[in-house]
């Protein structure tokens, strides 16, 4: 079945008339009637009922119409995108990030735009590495940041930096302490489907700790908001502590310490533009410079 046949059927439903639809489509009415009849024969069910007075769409015809409308719309949108490639020399760079990286990624993109001022970007937040893998393999994104290494033969996964998990609390709690055990603390943790929660559950298991979890949330932003209301203590990555949401809060190191590594990932077989490769390099340079600065200090 061809797109043009679907367009014929959609026109008949729109005008509720073979005559008006044929005029709109600039074809003869007998040709239009024959096309719909052939479609019904191929499908094995009626799309329309005809009488001398009216045309009515059947129940199966309604379902077919809904599917046909979606397909035709998607077809034309795809054609438009394909034509747009002639006019767009700098397609959008699509990048998935983690919530905790939203502080430094804008700094890198700002520097990137100094070299490529006309470049556009599409940034999405993805917290599950499995989703990032699928997005890379389906060419939906150019670059993905993850909090675990991706082990896939078609994906390059490069460590960017290592960071501690820290405990966030109101400023007046545990004065003069630099680290603390999380045992018995009322904890605000990510929901179970997130990778950070897996890191923490493994940590609890190793230490044989039964965590006192008072609240589970989807985002670090929500966790820190609840800490502001003195509802518990949140465990977050250290880099996220630099965000605006943690003002008037303090952190203590977990005892014993728990770390994680952030990776930058891209597809090996994709021919990446100069702009994409430059952005990958800038991310790496940013953290190389941060690492060297901390070592010098």
């Amino acid at each position: 079945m061809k797109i043009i046949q679907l367009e014929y059927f959609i026109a008949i439903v729109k005008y509720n008339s073979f005559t008006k639809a044929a005029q709109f489509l600039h074809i003869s009415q007998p040709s239009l009637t024959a096309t719909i009849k052939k479609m019904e024969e191929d499908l094995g069910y009626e799309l329309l009922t005809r009488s001398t007075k009216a045309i009515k769409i059947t129940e199966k015809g309604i379902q077919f119409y809904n599917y046909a409308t979606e397909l035709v719309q998607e077809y034309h949108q795809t054609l438009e995108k394909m034509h747009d490639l002639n006019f767009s020399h700098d397609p959008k760079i699509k990048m998935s990030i983690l919530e905790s990286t939203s502080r430094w990624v804008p700094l890198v993109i700002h520097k990137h735009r100094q070299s490529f001022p006309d470049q556009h970007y599409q940034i999405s937040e993805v917290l599950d590495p499995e989703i990032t893998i699928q997005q890379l393999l389906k060419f939906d994104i150019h670059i993905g940041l993850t909090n675990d290494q991706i082990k896939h033969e078609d994906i390059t996964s490069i460590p960017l930096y290592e960071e501690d998990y820290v405990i966030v609390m109101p400023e007046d709690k545990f004065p003069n302490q630099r680290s603390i055990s999380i045992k018995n603390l009322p904890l605000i943790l990510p929901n179970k489907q997130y990778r950070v929660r897996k890191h923490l559950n493994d940590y609890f298991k190793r230490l044989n700790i039964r965590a006192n979890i008072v609240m589970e949330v989807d985002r670090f932003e929500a966790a820190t908001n609840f800490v502001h209301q003195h509802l518990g203590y949140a465990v977050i990555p250290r880099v996220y502590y630099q965000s605006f949401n943690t003002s008037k809060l303090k952190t203590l190191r977990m005892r014993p310490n728990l770390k994680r590594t952030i990776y930058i990932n891209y597809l090996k077989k994709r021919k990446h533009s100069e702009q994409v490769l430059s952005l990958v390099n800038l991310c790496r340079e940013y953290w190389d410079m941060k690492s060297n600065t901390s070592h010098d200090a």
Side-chain angles (χ1 to χ4, degrees):
M1 193 169 295
K2 299 178 180 179
I3 289 291
I4 194 168
Q5 293 174 295
L6 302 181
E7 292 179 324
Y8 285 179
F9 177 67
I10 291 170
I12 294 169
V13 174
K14 178 180 178 181
Y15 290 101
N16 197 34
S17 165
F18 276 83
T19 302
K20 292 179 180 178
Q23 292 172 350
F24 169 76
L25 295 167
H26 302 290
I27 61 173
S28 68
Q29 183 175 332
S31 176
L32 179 58
T33 302
T35 298
I36 300 302
K37 185 177 180 181
K38 180 66 167 57
M39 288 172 63
E40 291 176 323
E41 290 174 355
D42 291 342
L43 290 167
Y45 53 81
E46 283 190 332
L47 297 171
L48 303 165
T49 59
R50 300 94 158 161
S51 70
T52 55
K53 295 183 178 179
I55 298 172
K56 293 184 178 180
I57 186 168
T58 65
E59 286 299 318
K60 288 184 178 179
I62 291 171
Q63 295 181 53
F64 183 88
Y65 173 80
N66 290 332
Y67 293 139
T69 302
E70 290 179 10
L71 281 171
V72 169
Q73 184 177 11
E74 186 173 341
Y75 170 76
H76 286 292
Q77 288 175 345
T78 301
L79 282 183
E80 288 177 11
K81 291 176 182 177
M82 292 167 69
H83 286 299
D84 286 346
L85 293 176
N86 286 329
F87 304 102
S88 176
H89 298 291
D90 297 314
K92 285 184 287 191
I93 294 178
K94 298 179 181 180
M95 181 179 185
S96 71
I97 67 172
L98 301 165
E99 183 188 4
S100 63
T101 65
S102 59
R103 179 72 171 177
W104 64 266
V105 168
L107 302 177
V108 173
I109 290 179
H110 177 74
K111 186 173 182 179
H112 188 259
R113 281 181 61 83
Q114 292 175 9
S115 299
F116 305 98
D118 296 327
Q119 181 63 57
H120 293 175
Y121 308 82
Q122 181 175 309
I123 309 298
S124 58
E125 188 177 289
V126 177
L127 306 181
D128 186 343
E130 293 302 319
I131 295 177
T132 301
I133 291 172
Q134 293 306 312
Q135 289 183 330
L136 288 167
L137 295 176
K138 291 168 62 178
F139 308 104
D140 290 336
I141 58 173
H142 298 91
I143 303 167
L145 299 179
T146 58
N147 53 17
D148 268 330
Q149 183 178 19
I150 290 179
K151 297 178 181 179
H152 191 288
E153 61 182 4
D154 293 329
I155 295 173
T156 298
S157 189
I158 303 170
L160 277 183
Y161 61 95
E162 190 178 66
E163 63 178 333
D164 298 332
Y165 283 106
V166 294
I167 303 173
V168 180
M169 59 190 64
E171 291 176 324
D172 59 346
K173 299 294 182 181
F174 303 104
N176 304 320
Q177 287 189 232
R178 294 187 176 182
S179 65
I180 191 172
S181 169
I182 63 174
K183 189 174 182 180
N184 299 323
L185 291 180
L187 298 177
I188 301 171
L189 300 183
N191 279 309
K192 292 180 180 179
Q193 69 265 34
Y194 297 119
R195 210 67 176 176
V196 172
R197 180 62 178 274
K198 182 182 183 302
H199 294 167
L200 294 171
N201 285 345
D202 290 344
Y203 177 81
F204 301 146
K205 187 175 180 179
R206 287 198 306 270
L207 297 178
N208 196 25
I209 293 174
R210 184 179 178 85
N212 177 22
I213 303 170
V214 297
M215 190 174 296
E216 296 171 286
V217 296
D218 281 339
R219 295 174 57 83
F220 296 132
E221 179 184 1
T224 53
N225 286 340
F226 287 123
V227 174
H228 279 293
Q229 299 302 318
H230 298 263
L231 294 174
Y233 304 146
V235 179
I236 65 172
R238 181 174 292 282
V239 170
Y240 185 78
Y241 180 64
Q242 302 167 1
S243 74
F244 302 112
N245 302 310
T246 57
S247 63
K248 297 185 179 180
L249 298 176
K250 73 173 185 179
T251 65
L252 291 180
R253 286 185 286 110
M254 294 169 59
R255 192 173 64 237
N257 197 18
L258 177 63
K259 295 178 178 289
R260 73 171 186 174
T261 302
I262 302 301
Y263 292 82
I264 188 166
N265 309 276
Y266 56 89
L267 197 61
K268 293 178 183 177
K269 65 181 179 181
R270 184 170 186 167
K271 181 174 173 56
H272 292 292
S273 66
E274 176 190 359
Q275 292 91 325
V276 171
L277 295 176
S278 173
L279 183 56
V280 171
N281 288 332
L282 283 177
C283 289
R284 298 180 68 181
E285 289 171 8
Y286 176 86
W287 284 104
D288 286 344
M289 184 175 65
K290 293 276 286 186
S291 176
N292 291 334
T293 300
S294 63
H295 289 159
D296 291 343

